[in-house]
Amino acid sequence: MKENIHPDYHEINVVMTDGTEFTTRSTMGKAGDTLRLDIDPKSHPAWTGVHRLVDSGGQLAKFKKRFEGFGIKSTNT
């Protein structure tokens, strides 16, 4: 293996959306850093079956305003 070309592989702490924590190895950050997840298998619709719209930065509102004249009824307001 070539020297000085591989990233540092160390332990970090991961905090899931429900507050549970675990330790894993990663190249992210520095040893001992904490990664806080916004979406994980316990909250992601692909695994939970519960779908909800997340309006980040008003994108959903902009979309609704832009296409309000098309007569499409929204189930989520």
Side-chain angles (χ1 to χ4, degrees):
M1 185 163 42
K2 291 184 180 179
E3 293 184 24
N4 300 325
I5 64 166
H6 300 284
D8 181 34
Y9 191 61
H10 49 268
E11 287 189 355
I12 64 166
N13 299 314
V14 178
V15 179
M16 305 208 21
T17 56
D18 67 350
T20 57
E21 298 181 25
F22 65 92
T23 303
T24 189
R25 295 182 56 85
S26 174
T27 58
M28 185 215 85
K30 294 178 266 180
D33 280 356
T34 300
L35 173 64
R36 297 187 183 279
L37 301 177
D38 293 332
I39 297 176
D40 62 26
K42 293 181 180 180
S43 66
H44 194 281
W47 289 280
T48 63
V50 177
H51 298 281
R52 63 176 193 251
L53 296 174
V54 178
D55 189 10
S56 58
Q59 294 296 315
L60 184 59
K62 287 179 191 177
F63 179 85
K64 285 182 178 181
K65 183 177 179 183
R66 185 174 180 185
F67 295 103
E68 66 188 349
F70 282 94
I72 300 171
K73 301 289 184 199
S74 174
T75 58
N76 296 340
T77 52

